[in-house]
Amino acid sequence: MSKEHTYTNGELTIVWKQDLCIHSKNCWKSLGDVFKPGERPWIHPEGATTERIKAQIDKCPSGALSYRMAEGAADVTPTESDRPMVEVSPDGPLMIKGSIQVKHSDGRIEEREKVTALCRCGSSSNKPFCDGSHRTNGFVG
């Protein structure tokens, strides 16, 4: 299980699970005032409004970024559907959007929310999850 790193602005806590990150660069290319990969710590939740941060985190393709609202804070994140959706990324992972359970070969069950990226190229060192290996191994599919 991936270790959680948390960063808060008092209203929202950003959760980053490094082992799930496929380094798509979506976060820092679109919200560079919050996500600064060249700095430590690299997440600065004071860099944007809570709504902008939530919107960007919802675009994380691997589910490595998520958030929790502080007790009493309003969370008006809309949900598209109660059913998960599978999307095949060109030359990339299977993206499962929605809450799912992953049953591992050892019987352990892992709860996943929002987005889960599953490896299609076979090279991930974090199977069944994508680690971004498809970008360097020539996977086409």
Side-chain angles (χ1 to χ4, degrees):
M1 182 167 283
S2 187
K3 179 182 175 188
E4 288 187 1
H5 302 273
T6 59
Y7 311 84
T8 188
N9 66 6
E11 183 179 35
L12 164 127
T13 298
I14 299 170
V15 179
W16 180 52
K17 295 181 181 179
Q18 180 178 355
D19 294 345
L20 299 180
C21 189
I22 62 171
H23 308 288
S24 69
K25 305 176 187 174
N26 289 355
C27 55
W28 61 267
K29 283 192 171 187
S30 297
L31 198 56
D33 291 337
V34 174
F35 302 101
K36 302 178 180 189
E39 297 182 12
R40 296 294 176 261
W42 77 282
I43 297 177
H44 302 268
E46 68 284 352
T49 66
T50 294
E51 290 307 312
R52 285 187 65 209
I53 293 170
K54 287 170 45 177
Q56 189 58 47
I57 288 173
D58 287 342
K59 296 175 188 172
C60 178
S62 68
L65 288 170
S66 62
Y67 61 84
R68 295 188 287 259
M69 297 303 294
E71 191 173 320
D75 184 4
V76 292
T77 304
T79 57
E80 290 183 18
S81 171
D82 291 335
R83 294 176 28 184
M85 182 178 100
V86 178
E87 181 179 309
V88 179
S89 300
D91 304 330
L94 287 175
M95 305 301 292
I96 302 174
K97 298 179 179 184
S99 298
I100 63 167
Q101 290 183 329
V102 176
K103 185 173 182 181
H104 293 269
S105 58
D106 62 4
R108 176 176 45 96
I109 294 179
E110 184 176 348
E111 300 284 336
R112 302 293 301 247
E113 295 184 21
K114 297 193 179 181
V115 181
T116 302
L118 297 178
C119 178
R120 283 200 308 145
C121 75
S123 295
S124 175
S125 60
N126 192 29
K127 290 181 187 90
F129 307 110
C130 176
D131 68 359
S133 295
H134 59 273
R135 289 192 304 271
T136 59
N137 70 8
F139 176 72
V140 176

